[in-house]
């Protein structure tokens, strides 16, 4: 029997030995892996160290950021400092950190980098938080600090790679070492892209809200602070819902970080934001002026004009410019209402699905954007008495009654397919003062208006056309048009030097020049109304714009002499051939030239060149150029003061009893002077006039010259534009008068040159010529009659010059 003390083999010894072996191997494996990991970490650290050692010397020099100079646009201002134009790839208005309001800084810090003033450039706590959030969500969450964004935006590309990230971190440390936190934040607030070509929050505040950054509210600051992450996605104009959601989130973050109270947050969330419409680049409609300045500055400074932050102040006055803009638009639209309806601008298919319909409407109206108060809309229903249309807001509205009168031809059953207003038609509508809608159309006709101070030449208002976006052609300076009867005062001015007086009697009798006299076809000029009134005074003849009288006056002067005389007023004499047709305004002028010319009468005889740019400064306010204050000198003398004085008397008569009598009657002031002008077949319509402190020219016509309408005249088209402007511009200006200068006398209530008083000047012109229905006129044999001036050869004349009107 075996001894009980003798050990017996255990049945579990083999498994125990195997487990220990496994544990040993596992431990060795762990040690090996740990060793490899450590070696890997060391290798990575060595690699990173080598990479850093290699990369750091290649980092860009950031010392220049201490004197931060980004690309700053060319900015154009009114005399009061109101922005009217901005040119450059980047719209930016540089502000110092002290000029940026706390509410804007707090909104940005709340959403972009709440611990900005605590970390050293890289927020490790934020990186861990973002990493954990990314594990929980499919959508990644960024962890870039403001310093890292500055490093990336200023020096690096948007490429996503480890190499770029390494450079970004290194640059971040370098920036934090070289600059203060305030400097870094200032750069960020001025540099970041915020959509709509806006760089920096100051520019964004102007573009999105039309206000200075210092005036933004908590709600507006929160909306702007949401833009850096994705300017397109959170654009409040194009994506209002997404922008609103992000704004609310930022307001909550501002509360969490103690920047605002809960009460302030609730107030901000309930605030209704007033966004600036898309395309409203300026509050003052002076696009033509801004373009004139741009061309001038670029010619002086080259391409760097767009990047060095030049600020150009003009002589333009904000209120007067707005008055001119509104006057031109109103005048053109009043004319347009008298024209035949040309039909809708576009036709689209209307899907039955609501979402598809909204998209189709949105696309169509994007293609045909609003033109200020001329709004685009899509027709949903159309009938002779009722039209239903919709705009991009999706709310249908009705047009009935008076609102359909301008387009009755387009609602008729007989209307052609391109004229018919039907569902899917893209039309133009305006809202009247009583909130009713009216259908209209974009005008084809053009207009121009310019006003300047005749004493200084400073341009205070300029509208180069109806719509700058439609046509950038500046009709004030670039359109060479025939002035018609508005040119007559310059001929009469020349005649005063030849002995003509306001009481000289001139025969308004027919004139006829045979083919032998002209060297070609016969020429028989006419008066506007086709009537001849016989002998009348120069004063009455000019007031009634009698063509036959003007021709006889030019014969007295002589065409060669008259050509040289008009050059005194700033006209190109080459564009005014020395023919009798000059008396009827057959040459070519620009509206700016006409304003300068009439300014000579207004200021007592001085020709003053127009000026627009008064100052140029850099972005820090250092003045680079400043125009000297203009003064009138004898070197600018064009005509004698007495000539200007008597012409003022004659031009005043026109606004009192003549073709422009509406001027004094409407403005209820006597110190307005001017002359209407309408060319043959109503191709060009003018009124040019002045008050002693302000001269202005208004013109209406088609770019491709054609008839404006048989009843359209300068008095009916351009004079109302001039009156509308002057009613605003002269509102607080006292009534002025001209003091008689030396060399004139008053006899019987009429003014004369001293040497050409009654009995000494030209007594009469053409009095021997018969006029229809008149008895024979006795001729004073002691008064010589001037010989006729030759008529231009037929090859030098144009048929359209034969008939000119008032």
């Amino acid at each position: 029997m075996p001894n009980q003390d003798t050990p017996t083999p255990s049945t579990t010894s083999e498994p125990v030995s195997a487990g220990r072996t496994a544990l040993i191997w596992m431990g060795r494996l762990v040690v090996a892996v740990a060793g490899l990991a450590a070696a890997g970490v060391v290798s990575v650290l060595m690699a990173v160290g080598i990479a850093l050692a290699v990369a750091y010397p290649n980092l860009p020099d950031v010392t220049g950021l201490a004197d931060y100079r980004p690309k700053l646009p060319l900015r154009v201002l009114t005399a009061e400092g109101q922005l009217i134009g901005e040119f450059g790839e980047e719209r930016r208005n540089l502000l110092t950190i002290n000029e940026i309001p706390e509410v804007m800084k707090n909104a940005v810090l709340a959403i972009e980098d709440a611990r900005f003033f605590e970390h050293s450039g890289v927020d490790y706590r934020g990186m861990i938080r973002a990493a954990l959030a990314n594990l929980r969500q499919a959508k990644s969450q960024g962890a870039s600090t403001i310093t890292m964004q500055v490093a990336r935006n200023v020096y690096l590309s948007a490429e996503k790679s480890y190499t770029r990230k390494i450079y970004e971190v290194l640059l971040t440390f370098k920036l934090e070492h070289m600059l203060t936190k305030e400097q870094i934040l200032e750069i960020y607030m001025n540099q970041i892209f915020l959509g709509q070509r806006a760089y920096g929050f100051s520019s964004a505040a102007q573009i999105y809200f039309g206000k200075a950054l210092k005036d933004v509210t908590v709600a507006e600051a929160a909306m702007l602070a949401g833009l850096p992450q994705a300017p397109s996605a959170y654009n409040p104009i194009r994506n209002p819902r997404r922008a609103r959601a992000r704004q609310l989130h930022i307001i909550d973050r501002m509360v969490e970080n103690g920047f605002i109270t809960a009460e302030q947050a609730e107030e901000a969330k309930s605030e209704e934001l007033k966004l600036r419409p898309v395309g409203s680049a300026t509050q003052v409609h002076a696009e033509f002026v801004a373009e004139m300045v741009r061309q001038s500055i670029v010619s002086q400074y080259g391409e760097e004009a767009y990047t060095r932050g030049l600020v150009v102040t003009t002589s333009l006055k904000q209120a007067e410019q707005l008055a001119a803009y509104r006057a031109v638009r109103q005048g053109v639209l009043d004319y347009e209402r008298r024209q035949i309806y040309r039909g809708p601008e576009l036709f689209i298919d209307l899907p039955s699905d609501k979402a598809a319909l909204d998209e189709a409407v949105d696309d169509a109206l994007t293609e045909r954007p609003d033109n200020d108060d001329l709004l685009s809309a899509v027709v949903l229903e159309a009938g002779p008495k009722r039209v239903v249309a919709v705009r991009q807001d999706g709310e249908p509205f009705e047009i009935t009654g008076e609102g359909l009168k301008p387009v009755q031809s387009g609602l008729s059953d007989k209307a052609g397919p391109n004229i018919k207003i039907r569902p899917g038609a893209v039309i133009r509508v305006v809202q009247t003062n009583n909130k009713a809608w009216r259908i209209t159309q974009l005008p084809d006709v053009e207009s121009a208006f310019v006003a300047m101070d005749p004493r200084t030449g400073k341009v205070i208002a300029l509208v180069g056309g109806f719509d700058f976006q439609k046509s950038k052609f500046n009709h004030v300076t670039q359109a060479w048009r025939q002035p018609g009867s508005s040119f007559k005062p310059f001929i009469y001015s020349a005649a005063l030097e030849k002995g003509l007086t306001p009481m000289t009697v001139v025969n308004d009798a027919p004139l006829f020049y045979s083919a032998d006299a002209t060297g070609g076809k016969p020429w028989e000029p006419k008066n506007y109304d086709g009537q001849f009134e016989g002998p009348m005074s120069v004063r009455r003849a000019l007031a009634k714009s009698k063509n036959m009288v003007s021709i006889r006056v030019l014969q007295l002067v002589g065409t060669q002499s008259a050509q040289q005389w008009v050059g005194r007023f700033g006209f190109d004499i080459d564009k005014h051939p020395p023919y009798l047709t000059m008396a009827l305004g057959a040459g070519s002028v620009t509206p700016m030239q006409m304003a300068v010319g009439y300014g000579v009468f207004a200021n007592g005889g001085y020709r003053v060149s127009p000026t627009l740019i008064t100052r140029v400064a850099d972005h820090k306010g250092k003045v680079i150029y400043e125009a000297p204050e203009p003064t009138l000198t004898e070197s600018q003398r064009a005509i004698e003061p007495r000539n200007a004085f008597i012409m003022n008397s004659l031009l005043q008569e026109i606004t009192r009893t003549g073709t422009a009598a509406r001027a004094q009657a409407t403005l209820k002031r006597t110190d307005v002077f001017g002359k209407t002008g309408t060319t043959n077949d109503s191709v060009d319509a003018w009124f040019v006039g002045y008050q002693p402190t302000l001269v202005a020219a208004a013109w209406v016509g088609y770019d491709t010259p054609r008839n404006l309408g048989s009843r359209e005249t300068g008095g009916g088209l351009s004079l109302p534009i001039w009156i509308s402007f002057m009613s605003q511009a002269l509102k607080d200006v006292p009534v002025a008068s001209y003091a008689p200068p030396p060399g004139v006398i008053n006899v019987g209530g009429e003014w004369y040159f001293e040497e050409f008083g009654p009995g000494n000047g030209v007594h009469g012109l053409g009095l021997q010529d018969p006029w229809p229905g008149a008895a024979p006129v006795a001729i004073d044999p002691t008064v010589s009659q001037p010989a006729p001036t030759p008529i231009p050869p037929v090859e030098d004349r144009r048929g359209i010059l034969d008939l000119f009107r008032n």
Side-chain angles (χ1 to χ4, degrees):
M1 185 173 180
N3 189 337
Q4 293 183 352
D5 294 331
T6 304
T8 57
S10 171
T11 58
T12 62
S13 62
E14 188 174 336
V16 169
S17 176
R20 288 176 179 174
T21 302
L23 288 173
I24 292 170
W25 279 105
M26 187 177 294
R28 291 174 179 174
L29 181 60
V30 170
V31 171
V33 170
L36 289 173
V41 170
V42 171
S43 299
V44 170
L45 290 175
M46 289 178 64
V48 170
I50 293 171
L52 294 178
V54 172
Y56 197 83
N58 295 323
L59 291 176
D61 183 11
V62 301
T63 55
L65 282 183
D67 185 21
Y68 176 59
R69 293 183 182 180
K71 291 181 180 179
L72 296 175
L74 168 66
R75 305 177 75 237
V76 186
L77 312 178
T78 64
E80 301 90 347
Q82 178 67 41
L83 180 69
I84 60 175
E86 200 168 28
F87 301 95
E89 293 180 5
E90 303 176 1
R91 299 177 181 176
R92 193 194 308 275
N93 183 24
L94 193 61
L95 296 181
T96 66
I97 192 66
N98 294 327
E99 293 172 320
I100 300 172
E102 289 298 318
V103 65
M104 191 69 251
K105 288 186 279 192
N106 291 339
V108 169
L109 293 174
I111 191 62
E112 293 293 332
D113 193 352
R115 299 183 63 250
F116 173 71
F117 285 100
E118 300 172 24
H119 61 67
S120 60
V122 178
D123 188 0
Y124 302 105
R125 187 190 304 176
M127 292 176 67
I128 294 172
R129 183 178 62 250
L132 293 175
N134 292 339
L135 290 175
R136 294 192 300 266
Q137 307 174 32
K139 186 170 65 174
S140 64
Q141 190 178 106
S144 291
T145 64
I146 283 178
T147 311
M148 295 170 73
Q149 291 184 57
V150 169
R152 180 169 63 246
N153 292 333
V154 176
Y155 292 109
L156 302 174
S157 68
E159 172 197 6
K160 292 185 177 181
S161 67
Y162 291 113
T163 302
R164 197 225 66 186
K165 197 67 178 176
I166 290 172
Y167 273 95
E168 182 180 309
V169 172
L170 290 175
L171 271 174
T172 297
F173 289 140
K174 195 168 185 178
L175 287 173
E176 289 276 346
H177 175 69
M178 296 290 300
L179 306 175
T180 66
K181 286 287 189 180
E182 287 74 16
Q183 286 176 308
I184 294 171
L185 184 58
E186 178 182 306
I187 294 168
Y188 177 84
M189 300 290 282
N190 284 289
Q191 176 71 24
I192 195 72
F193 176 64
L194 300 170
Q196 302 288 115
R197 286 176 48 219
Y199 286 79
F201 287 96
S202 178
S203 179
Q206 283 287 349
I207 290 170
Y208 289 105
F209 299 115
K211 60 168 57 176
L213 187 62
K214 64 182 178 65
D215 298 324
V216 297
T217 63
V218 172
E220 291 166 338
M223 183 67 78
L224 294 175
L227 291 167
Q229 187 180 75
S232 178
Y234 297 117
N235 185 317
I237 296 173
R238 303 190 183 280
N239 294 297
R241 292 180 183 176
R242 296 182 68 178
R244 171 65 171 166
R246 185 154 176 81
Q247 177 208 31
L248 296 178
H249 173 60
I250 292 173
I251 292 173
D252 289 338
R253 290 295 303 272
M254 293 179 74
V255 176
E256 292 173 15
N257 286 278
F259 293 135
I260 59 174
T261 65
E263 292 75 15
Q264 288 175 311
E266 288 305 313
E267 183 180 346
K269 289 179 180 180
S270 62
E271 180 181 330
E272 183 179 351
L273 299 186
K274 295 180 180 179
L275 296 170
R276 205 172 189 178
V278 176
S280 179
T282 58
Q283 288 182 318
V284 182
H285 285 281
E287 295 89 347
F288 289 97
V289 173
E291 175 60 16
M292 291 171 68
V293 172
R294 182 196 70 80
Q295 293 179 16
S296 177
I297 296 299
V298 170
S299 68
Q300 178 73 25
Y301 296 99
E303 290 301 309
E304 74 171 345
Y306 298 122
T307 60
R308 60 183 292 186
L310 296 178
V311 179
V312 182
T313 302
T314 68
S315 55
L316 215 66
K317 292 186 178 179
Q318 184 175 343
E320 282 81 350
Q321 178 63 25
L322 180 59
Y325 173 79
R326 288 177 174 170
V328 166
R329 286 187 72 88
Q330 190 61 53
V332 169
L333 293 176
D334 286 346
Y335 168 78
E336 192 61 47
R337 279 197 290 273
R338 301 192 290 270
Q339 307 311 303
I340 190 170
Y341 185 58
R342 295 183 293 275
E345 297 178 28
L346 187 70
F347 294 96
I348 65 170
D349 294 327
L350 299 179
S352 56
D353 178 70
K354 180 64 168 61
L357 175 62
D358 290 344
E359 185 176 353
V361 169
D362 187 67
D363 290 343
L365 299 188
T366 299
E367 185 178 344
R368 294 289 192 278
D370 295 342
N371 183 288
D372 198 2
D373 53 345
L374 296 182
L375 310 178
S376 53
V378 175
V379 174
L380 300 179
E381 302 174 28
K385 297 183 178 180
R386 177 175 175 267
V387 170
V388 178
V390 66
R391 289 183 31 79
Q392 284 175 310
D393 59 10
E395 294 294 330
F397 58 92
E398 288 187 352
I399 307 111
T400 59
E402 292 293 320
L404 299 178
K405 278 192 174 182
V407 295
Q408 280 300 311
S409 59
L411 296 170
S412 168
D413 292 336
K414 298 179 181 179
N418 294 327
I419 305 298
K420 182 75 172 177
I421 297 177
R422 60 179 187 271
V426 177
I427 60 173
R428 294 283 165 172
V429 296
V430 294
Q431 200 165 22
T432 61
N433 292 334
N434 60 0
K435 302 301 181 182
W437 291 97
R438 184 178 73 241
I439 301 179
T440 184
Q441 58 188 343
L442 281 176
D444 277 350
V445 75
E446 276 294 354
S447 182
F449 185 90
V450 60
M452 57 180 279
D453 186 332
R455 302 163 299 179
T456 64
K458 290 182 178 180
V459 176
I460 68 165
L462 188 151
V463 181
F466 180 79
D467 177 23
F468 182 76
Q469 299 306 320
K470 175 185 174 185
S471 172
K472 295 176 174 54
F473 184 78
N474 190 337
H475 297 82
V476 168
T477 59
Q478 296 177 295
W480 291 93
R481 309 294 295 217
Q482 292 176 330
S485 293
S486 63
F487 198 73
K488 289 177 180 177
F490 305 109
I491 304 301
Y492 280 71
S493 170
L496 293 179
E497 302 296 325
K498 301 288 186 178
L500 192 79
T501 74
M503 293 306 293
T504 297
V505 178
V506 186
N507 196 2
D508 177 31
L511 288 169
F512 176 79
Y513 300 93
S514 66
D516 292 337
T518 64
K521 295 180 180 179
W523 184 50
E524 188 174 10
K526 303 290 184 182
N527 281 324
Y528 162 50
D529 55 6
Q531 303 298 313
F532 302 98
E533 298 185 34
M536 62 176 61
S537 69
V538 161
R539 177 174 292 278
R540 182 164 178 248
L542 184 58
K544 301 191 74 173
S545 198
K546 290 293 186 177
N547 286 344
M548 303 306 105
V549 172
S550 296
I551 293 173
R552 286 183 166 90
V553 168
L554 179 55
Q555 285 179 315
L556 168 69
V557 176
T559 55
Q560 294 283 350
S561 178
Q563 182 190 43
Q564 296 303 313
W565 184 263
V566 301
R568 293 169 173 251
F569 295 85
F571 297 108
D572 295 355
I573 62 174
D574 290 344
K575 294 186 180 295
H576 299 274
Y579 303 138
L580 287 180
T581 48
M582 187 195 307
L584 309 182
S588 295
V589 300
T590 67
M592 182 67 85
Q593 284 186 334
M594 292 296 282
V596 171
Y598 273 72
V600 174
F601 297 135
N603 63 29
Y606 300 93
R607 178 176 140 196
V608 182
S609 299
T611 61
L612 187 58
I613 296 175
T614 59
R615 192 174 82 152
V616 180
D618 64 16
H619 72 281
K620 292 185 177 180
K622 180 182 178 182
V623 177
I624 300 173
Y625 164 80
E626 189 152 21
E629 192 61 30
T631 56
L632 297 176
T633 65
E634 284 305 305
S635 64
Q636 298 168 287
R637 171 72 62 190
I639 59 176
E640 290 301 314
R642 63 179 189 168
N643 188 300
F645 179 79
I646 291 183
M647 286 307 306
N648 290 334
S649 175
L650 295 174
L651 292 171
Q652 188 180 39
E653 187 69 29
I654 297 172
T655 64
R656 187 177 74 88
T657 64
T659 57
R662 192 192 313 183
Q664 287 196 33
T666 304
L667 295 173
K668 293 182 171 37
R669 55 191 302 155
T670 57
D671 61 339
V672 288
F673 315 77
K675 181 71 182 76
T676 54
T678 314
T679 61
N680 180 55
D681 290 335
S682 297
V683 171
D684 294 283
W686 293 83
F687 182 78
V688 191
Y690 55 93
Q691 189 268 352
T693 64
L694 189 61
V695 58
W699 165 85
V700 177
Y702 288 99
D703 277 338
T704 302
R706 60 187 173 96
N707 193 302
L708 288 163
S710 59
R711 298 183 179 181
E712 303 293 352
T713 65
L717 281 174
S718 296
L719 178 59
I721 295 174
W722 189 91
I723 290 175
S724 175
F725 170 79
M726 286 293 186
S727 66
Q728 297 298 315
L730 299 178
K731 186 176 294 184
D732 299 319
V733 178
V735 174
S737 61
Y738 290 106
V744 297
I745 57 174
N746 188 288
V747 180
E750 188 58 85
W751 294 99
Y752 302 83
F753 285 4
E754 282 182 335
E755 66 271 30
F756 296 139
N760 294 321
V762 176
H763 169 69
L765 296 174
L767 299 182
Q768 76 280 15
D769 297 334
W771 56 282
V777 178
I779 303 300
D780 186 347
T782 63
V783 178
S784 61
Q785 300 294 319
T789 304
I791 303 300
V794 68
E795 62 269 16
D796 291 335
R797 290 188 289 110
R798 291 166 286 179
I800 61 172
L801 305 184
D802 292 349
L803 298 175
F804 285 83
R805 309 196 324 224
N806 64 300

